[in-house]
Amino acid sequence: MIKCAICVEDNACSSELEHLAGKYIGFNHLEVEVFQDAELLCRRILNDKVHFDITFIDIEMVNKNGIRTTEMIRRNPAGDTNLTILVTSHTEPVMEAFDANPFHVLQKPISSVKFGEIFRAALDSTHGVTTTFDFKKHRVLYRIPIHDIDYFISASHYVQIAGPCQAVSMKAKLDEVEEHLMRINTWDFMRIHKSIIINLNHVKEFLPRDVLMEHGEYLSISESYLPAYRDRMADCITLK
Amino acid sequence: MKGEYVLLNIAVLDHDFKVSEMIEDLLTDRLGFNNIDVTYFQRGTELTSSVSQGDFYDLIFLEIQWEKENGIETGKDLRRNNLSRDTLLIFTTISMDRILDAFDAHPYYIMAKPVDQTNFMKITEQALRIIAEKNSVCQFHKGRTKIRCPLDSILWFETGAPHYIAIVTNCKTERIKGKLNDVEQMLAEMKAVNFVRVHSSYIINMDYIEKHNMQFIQLRNHPEIIQISEKYKEHARAVLSHYLSERIL
């Protein structure tokens, strides 16, 4: 579960940040607390000792300056590990913002592509980069690098891992694989069929009802997974 | 290996040699850091090539723009290609143009030029304190010099010729004089829980395991089979299953 705080006065921007974060990692893996007042955010972190993985703070707020808020949080031991992404409508950079040592600065209007890049980097920074998919087979532990996995496909009681290297299979259910991928904080995968989970980084073309993988296979998207696929497809296309 | 002063490796990429000299002067004279080794670069490609060959820098000062050089792109290249997460980047810049892109390289700080000496000292001192307090970079003697290796770049330690240890990293192999027992003790003091001794001649980094059972271990991108010896079998089994259990499907 990823816990985020959003402290942005503009309601539309706040909702957009929440929506983009949810789309990126899945709404059921995201917990968001929204603040319209920087004082409340400070109290939540510094007095209640609540830890947020990622905090979005608006630089320009009426009651309090976002940069000062970030500095105040970072100076306190309760908030010094807080990873902050500053949000600004300024087109010119604010030199003061660098003093607050934010993880990044996101400009309004929010670009979903830029959001994806920054959010991904922030997740990697707070949770570490998961590099392998680990499973046991005949008492041997196998660790397959995530970037070597094109997709998972299930058949009877087995799941096959397809990639540029020789395909490997293991005894498991695809639901278990999907849950495991979420548990190890890997957000590169998406289920497109009852029996298929794809690695979005290895999709060559996102088609209306299929995906063309880098190695030439066409994989079909089933009816029940189409809405989620279409929702995420737009972001992936622009990102690629 | 133990109880020694820390030697910091610093890289400076700045077209103005005077700025490079000033950085070194401020570090040594004003901040009193004598145990530093400063390497100067004039081109981003020289710095990226040095890093990709396995050279480790604790701190890099990177100028953002001059002539055809683009420090932001160099910073991003470094982060994409093997720059240790333990390296802190400080950008220096005369222009605010596209400055927000610099955050993509995850800098520790972005400093305006001409460099304000008071601010420079404050920021650099903070950075050096963070580096000195880090427990994720180890330091060894190699002849009369010292080498620093981030723990997460080390695949395994191996005893080779008598009294020598090979440190195999993801870029190169360093050979130093020492005993594997001392390395094991140093790793325990550093609380490096991702390392385990599996043989009288091997200590491996579990993060690099590609395949293992209770007889052997194979590490990523290395065809060598590392045997788990009878003496370390029980210990290795306990540590491996504890460390890897949460990650296994």
Side-chain angles (χ1 to χ4, degrees), chain B residues 124-135:
Chain B
T124 309
E125 206 167 6
Q126 277 173 9
L128 294 175
R129 202 175 55 238
I130 290 171
I131 292 163
E133 284 169 3
K134 271 187 178 181
N135 223 2

Side-chain angles (χ1 to χ4, degrees), chain A residues 197-215:
Chain A
I197 296 171
I198 56 166
N199 185 342
L200 293 164
N201 294 324
H202 292 308
V203 176
K204 191 176 172 192
E205 283 178 33
F206 291 89
L207 304 165
R209 289 184 165 270
D210 308 88
V211 282
L212 171 60
M213 303 303 288
E214 280 170 352
H215 294 97

Side-chain angles (χ1 to χ4, degrees), chain A residues 10-33:
Chain A
D10 170 4
N11 278 337
C13 178
S14 177
S15 308
E16 194 180 4
L17 289 169
E18 188 172 355
H19 178 70
L20 288 170
K23 253 173 71 174
Y24 199 87
I25 56 169
F27 288 96
N28 48 345
H29 297 104
L30 178 73
E31 197 181 314
V32 176
E33 284 191 38

Side-chain angles (χ1 to χ4, degrees), chain B residues 211-240:
Chain B
K211 204 166 155 185
H212 90 82
N213 62 13
M214 278 305 127
Q215 278 82 46
F216 73 87
I217 288 171
Q218 195 175 354
L219 298 176
R220 210 178 306 152
N221 300 328
H222 284 268
E224 299 95 325
I225 300 289
I226 296 174
Q227 297 292 334
I228 301 175
S229 71
E230 207 51 46
K231 182 181 171 187
Y232 289 96
K233 204 171 178 175
E234 282 309 309
H235 167 72
R237 186 203 300 264
V239 177
L240 283 164

